[in-house]
Structures are given as structure tokens and as C-alpha cells.
Amino acid sequence: MPDISLRSATPADAAGVLDIYRPFVESTSVSFERVVPSDREMAERIAAASEEWAWLVADVDGRIVGYAYAGRHRFREAYRYSVETSVYVAPDLRRSGVARALYTELFERLRSRAYASAYAGITVPNDASVGFHKSFGFEAIGVFPRVGRKFGTWHDVLWMYRPIGQQ
Ligand SMILES: CC(C)(COP(=O)(O)OP(=O)(O)OC[C@H]1O[C@@H](n2cnc3c(N)ncnc32)[C@H](O)[C@@H]1OP(=O)(O)O)[C@@H](O)C(=O)NCCC(=O)NCCS
């Protein structure tokens, strides 16, 4: 396993995060965005998520090799203890435990901020993400059929759930 260090992301990490995220916007339906966010937009997302939830990066020798973050599930007051989580790892470092390390720390931070329930929405098929989330204790709770349309195709999103208060 490479020497991975985890730290809170800062807005200055926007370009490194985008290096990983860009291909998923440009050529997959893993992300439902159509336009790659600018460095500035990504910096604002990092700042906003860090303030209320958490955004972490994994760093190997000064290069960002993965990131994970949590954000709002829904706006209404009763949803305030629930979050949505997501994680991306650079292709050359997959299956090295990077996502596991990121989520372990992310969940620790969320627990310390009293969040209770985590949900991940995964455009399916995505064996790696479903396999990873299962391995981290998420269970599948349902599918939103044909909820997204990208590149002229309808996509289903599988939702997975894990309580935050257990490791
Ligand atoms: C999903 C993803 C984040 C997993 O990251 P990773 O760093 O490779 O995962 P880890 O090495 O921490 O794997 C931990 C466990 O998850 C499971 N897992 C990881 N990749 C898997 C795969 N391709 N197939 C099945 N299970 C997998 C395994 O149980 C693994 O443990 P093991 O390697 O000891 O068998 C990575 O594949 C990725 O970035 N995919 C593209 C982006 C994406 O789809 N993100 C999720 C958006 S919802």
C-alpha cells in the first residue's frame, strides 16, 4: 500500500480534485453533471462542504489521488442529520485501500458533527462503487428508475444507506 496521507481539503485543492473528477463528467454517467466545473466553482464547493460537513483528500507524494466528501441530503429541517457521501480515487491507485481510508476518516468527522445517516446515490451499473459501499457497510435500499438522462440514455440510480454512528 502506498504512503497515503489524508487531510482536510482546502479551496487550493480544486485543480487536483478536478484532475480526478473531469473524466467522469466528460465521458461517463457516474456524475450527472454535463459541464466540468471551473477551478473556482470547485473551490467554492470544497469550502461550502467543509464548513458544514467534511471534504477530505488523499495525498501521495504531494499528488491528490482521491477525495471524499459529504453534503446535504435534503433541505427540510427534519433531514438535518442525514448526508449524502461520495468518493473518487485515481485509476492507478484503485484497490489500494484509498477509498476505505477516506471514508473511515470522513465518517469519523461526520460522527463528531452529530450526523446520523449516510446515503450514496450510485448510477448503475457501477460494480466498483456498489462493491466498495457494500464493503463499507452500506446496504442497498432502492432504485430510482430512469431518474437521469445523459448522453441520450436514461440511467437508474441505486441508493445505499449506512448509519454513521457505527464503524
Ligand atoms: C469506487 C472507488 C471509489 C473505490 O475506491 P478504491 O480505493 O479502489 O477502493 P478500496 O481499495 O478502498 O476498496 C475497499 C473494498 O471495496 C471493495 N471494492 C473496491 N473496488 C471494487 C471493485 N472494483 N469491485 C468490487 N468490489 C470493490 C472491495 O471489497 C475492497 O476491498 P478489497 O480490495 O480488500 O477486496 C473507485 O473504484 C472509483 O474511484 N471509482 C470511480 C468513481 C466512482 O464510481 N465513485 C463512486 C461514485 S458513487
Side-chain angles (χ1 to χ4, degrees):
M1 175 148 145
D3 193 11
I4 304 164
S5 59
L6 302 181
R7 59 179 172 78
S8 299
T10 75
D13 293 316
V17 165
L18 278 167
D19 284 346
I20 296 174
Y21 184 54
R22 185 175 296 106
F24 292 100
V25 175
E26 286 178 341
S27 48
T28 78
S29 295
V30 167
S31 166
F32 277 175
E33 290 197 88
R34 290 295 303 267
V35 177
V36 178
S38 64
D39 280 17
R40 187 179 166 164
E41 163 67 19
M42 186 55 82
E44 286 171 5
R45 291 184 193 184
I46 290 171
S50 304
E51 196 172 312
E52 252 185 276
W53 300 277
W55 191 311
L56 301 172
V57 292
D59 181 300
V60 173
D61 297 332
R63 173 187 160 223
I64 292 176
V65 298
Y67 63 93
Y69 62 92
R72 189 186 312 282
H73 172 54
R74 297 193 72 175
F75 272 93
R76 302 273 193 236
E77 170 80 13
Y79 288 118
R80 69 190 177 282
Y81 296 109
S82 296
V83 300
E84 292 182 18
T85 60
S86 195
V87 57
Y88 287 78
V89 172
D92 57 315
L93 276 171
R94 296 212 184 125
R95 289 316 267 271
S96 311
V98 175
R100 187 188 299 123
L102 281 164
Y103 257 30
T104 300
E105 179 62 23
L106 183 74
F107 275 62
E108 195 56 50
R109 305 250 183 132
L110 293 170
R111 197 174 301 118
S112 76
R113 289 186 143 186
Y115 290 106
S117 302
Y119 301 87
I122 302 169
T123 311
V124 285
N126 183 341
D127 291 346
S129 184
V130 173
F132 168 69
H133 282 89
K134 264 190 197 151
S135 83
F136 201 74
F138 280 73
E139 63 175 300
I141 51 170
V143 174
F144 282 17
R146 290 165 64 87
V147 71
R149 188 168 174 84
K150 188 170 176 184
F151 303 137
T153 304
W154 290 105
H155 297 284
D156 297 350
V157 170
L158 168 70
W159 284 91
M160 298 187 78
Y161 158 74
R162 204 200 94 153
I164 290 171
Q166 74 182 43
Q167 192 73 294

